Amino acid sequence: MQNLDRDVVIVGAGPSGLTAARELKKAGLSVAVLEARDRVGGRTWTDTIDGAMLEIGGQWVSPDQTALIALLDELGLEMYSRYRDGESVYIAADGTRTKYTGDTFPVNPTTKAEMDKLTAILDGLAAEIGATEPWAHPKARELDTISFHHWLRQNSSDEEACNNIGLFIAGGMLTKPAHAFSALQAVLMAASAGSFTHLTDEDFILDKRVIGGMQQVSLLQAAELGADVVLNSPVRSITWDENGATVVSEQATVNARYVIMAVPPNLYSRVSFDPPLPRRQHQMHQHQSLGLVIKVHAVYRTPFWREDGLSGTGFGAGALVQEVYDNTNHGDSRGTLVGFISDEKADAVFELSAEDRKKAVLESIAGFLGEKALTPEVYYESDWGSEEWTRGAYASSYDLGGLHRYGKDQHANVGPIYWSSSDLAAEGYQHVDGAVRMGQATAARIVEAHKLSALPVA
């Protein structure tokens, strides 16, 4: 057991915690980072499975993610563009398969007009309400007390349009059914990406990948921190008062002036706080939860879909696999597809045996790209919902009515304890960019607080 004295102890060695630690060290403060897993990276994880390099966790970079892009540049990491040449595939509600180009689903004119109308409304709300304090807007309560499912149908009677628009936020981002979160939560998701239109544009939101994998953001920062990062060290208790805290983990006890909880809100309760956190924190944390998504990886001898003039991109709100993309690694002669199964559909396939689930998933992908999709050389399912130190994906969101009720308090420190993760970000919410932004912002707050505490009393 190590006994350490530090200015700041960080719980969690994902992109947010490690970015905070790095920034704090730059400012001259001493740090210790305690990580429950045997690796760094949090919800980013690049691993080799059956000889194939797979991005098991977060991976994409969009042009507006300037904090992440700047950090990648600082760390000497390069990016490459996602493959997108050729036609995409859309599967309609009746199962009809249509190939198309451009950023508009090949739906009938009435449905297209309704989708455009809903997009315009959401773009307008995202611009008006913003990502920084959506709970403070005059429309906050109104939008937070209606589910996104019902809000869509309030604004359109076209079921296909509602399901398609819902896909981009429900299945595509929050990974919860659209009836489980509010219209305000949907607006925050859109505003965090700059607009709802950005979320519907896969060439924007899924623009580039990091050569060698996104986990390198954490691996390189952890390498700089060296022995300040302690792995296999779940934090069990935090004893605190206004002057600091003692953090006890399985590998180290750290006495520090400040604590950063750089884990998703659903894991805060894994730690025993003495004294207990205030009532407001207890209530808020119970109204934040992660969604559920299976990220499916299928690796083939060649990217066969390209030979057929297809981009590898497919959408189908009613399909088991609602989204599929070409996820081929930089410089790899093999072809890799990635598909996503969200919320209730994930519930359903997890009731199947592993063999039957694989069969159903590959048949769904084949519905987009043809029978060759049935026989990958490597098949792997990223199941973050069963991962002990995550328990869901991609990130947390509030239940119906929770955002306007608790949002104003989600960044409030409790004495020496601060909160930092992509789940709490404004810009870059739920993305690695948001984790980086939160790490930088939290470090800056602590640096400022430390300076103020050192000032002589007048």
Side-chain angles (χ1 to χ4, degrees):
M1 173 71 75
Q2 300 181 58
N3 288 286
L4 306 172
D5 294 313
R6 295 289 191 270
D7 292 317
V8 188
V9 57
I10 296 105
V11 180
S16 193
L18 290 169
T19 298
R22 188 166 180 259
E23 292 297 314
L24 289 163
K25 285 203 78 171
K26 284 182 188 177
L29 276 66
S30 60
V31 302
V33 184
L34 304 177
E35 169 56 51
R37 301 178 179 88
D38 61 0
R39 63 170 182 84
V40 300
R43 285 167 276 181
T44 62
W45 186 12
T46 308
D47 202 5
T48 300
I49 308 292
D50 297 333
M53 190 195 89
L54 303 179
E55 290 275 46
I56 294 169
Q59 64 174 73
W60 281 299
V61 185
S62 59
D64 65 328
Q65 294 178 350
T66 52
L68 173 57
I69 291 169
L71 181 57
L72 292 172
D73 186 59
E74 193 175 333
L75 295 172
L77 294 171
E78 297 181 355
M79 296 184 290
Y80 67 103
S81 295
R82 180 179 62 85
Y83 184 84
R84 62 195 75 182
D85 296 338
E87 295 180 299
S88 299
V89 177
Y90 174 75
I91 296 180
D94 62 2
T96 303
R97 175 182 182 270
T98 305
K99 293 186 284 188
Y100 70 101
T101 57
D103 56 3
T104 303
F105 289 169
V107 294
N108 68 60
T110 301
T111 297
K112 181 184 183 305
E114 289 298 296
M115 289 178 65
D116 289 346
K117 180 184 76 174
L118 290 169
T119 297
I121 296 171
L122 285 166
D123 277 346
L125 287 170
E128 178 185 346
I129 293 173
T132 305
E133 293 183 305
W135 48 84
H137 194 275
K139 295 179 182 175
R141 181 178 176 82
E142 172 193 345
L143 291 170
D144 205 31
T145 53
I146 183 172
S147 75
F148 189 46
H149 171 96
H150 288 96
W151 180 90
L152 287 167
R153 285 152 184 83
Q154 247 187 17
N155 286 279
S156 176
S157 60
D158 189 304
E159 191 66 15
E160 187 171 12
C162 290
N163 285 329
N164 284 343
I165 294 298
L167 164 67
F168 290 107
I169 288 182
M173 289 294 170
L174 300 182
T175 63
K176 293 179 176 179
H179 62 256
F181 60 89
S182 72
L184 184 65
Q185 189 77 59
V187 170
L188 167 60
M189 188 73 248
S192 74
S195 68
F196 180 73
T197 295
H198 283 168
L199 292 183
T200 69
D201 181 0
E202 71 274 12
D203 289 346
F204 181 89
I205 201 72
L206 311 179
D207 182 29
K208 295 185 186 297
R209 292 177 58 194
V210 177
I211 295 175
M214 183 66 83
Q215 191 185 1
Q216 290 177 101
V217 170
S218 295
L219 290 168
L220 291 175
Q221 293 191 96
E224 290 183 17
L225 294 164
D228 289 329
V229 180
V230 183
L231 301 179
N232 298 302
S233 196
V235 169
R236 300 307 186 190
S237 67
I238 297 176
T239 303
W240 63 277
D241 60 28
E242 291 299 323
N243 298 313
T246 298
V247 179
V248 178
S249 73
E250 294 200 356
Q251 301 291 336
T253 295
V254 186
N255 297 304
R257 177 65 187 87
Y258 306 96
V259 181
I260 298 177
M261 291 291 290
V263 295
N266 66 304
L267 297 182
Y268 298 162
S269 62
R270 300 296 301 276
V271 178
S272 177
F273 293 87
D274 182 20
L277 296 174
R279 178 193 310 108
R280 185 74 173 170
Q281 292 284 329
H282 284 165
Q283 287 293 305
M284 175 169 57
H285 302 160
Q286 291 180 71
H287 288 270
Q288 294 166 288
S289 62
L290 273 73
L292 176 65
V293 63
I294 308 170
K295 183 180 184 181
V296 175
H297 314 258
V299 183
Y300 302 86
R301 187 176 61 82
T302 63
F304 64 85
W305 51 92
R306 299 181 188 178
E307 301 164 10
D308 299 332
L310 298 176
S311 64
T313 299
F315 295 100
L320 174 62
V321 179
Q322 294 178 302
E323 305 169 78
V324 62
Y325 303 100
D326 185 319
N327 211 42
T328 302
N329 292 323
H330 180 72
D332 195 348
S333 62
R334 293 172 297 181
T336 300
L337 293 171
V338 64
F340 297 92
I341 307 164
S342 290
D343 54 75
E344 293 172 312
K345 290 175 179 166
D347 293 340
V349 294
F350 274 134
E351 293 183 3
L352 303 176
S353 68
E355 182 180 347
D356 288 345
R357 183 168 61 250
K358 177 181 177 180
K359 181 175 183 290
V361 170
L362 291 175
E363 285 176 350
S364 183
I365 294 174
F368 292 102
L369 301 175
E371 289 192 0
K372 291 179 182 177
L374 295 171
T375 54
E377 293 182 345
V378 178
Y379 175 87
Y380 184 77
E381 298 168 0
S382 298
D383 172 21
W384 289 92
S386 64
E387 208 274 339
E388 175 70 2
W389 299 108
T390 307
R391 303 188 171 193
Y394 308 111
S396 73
S397 53
Y398 285 95
D399 59 14
L400 198 63
L403 181 56
H404 88 283
R405 184 177 176 189
Y406 298 108
K408 68 183 177 66
D409 296 310
Q410 65 181 13
H411 293 153
N413 57 295
V414 176
I417 304 169
Y418 291 71
W419 320 95
S420 183
S421 69
S422 64
D423 315 79
L424 307 178
E427 292 82 6
Y429 170 54
Q430 296 213 349
H431 290 84
V432 179
D433 179 72
V436 171
R437 289 176 188 271
M438 283 300 302
Q440 292 170 341
T442 306
R445 287 178 63 198
I446 288 177
V447 169
E448 183 62 24
H450 192 65
K451 287 178 181 176
L452 292 173
S453 70
L455 292 175
V457 177

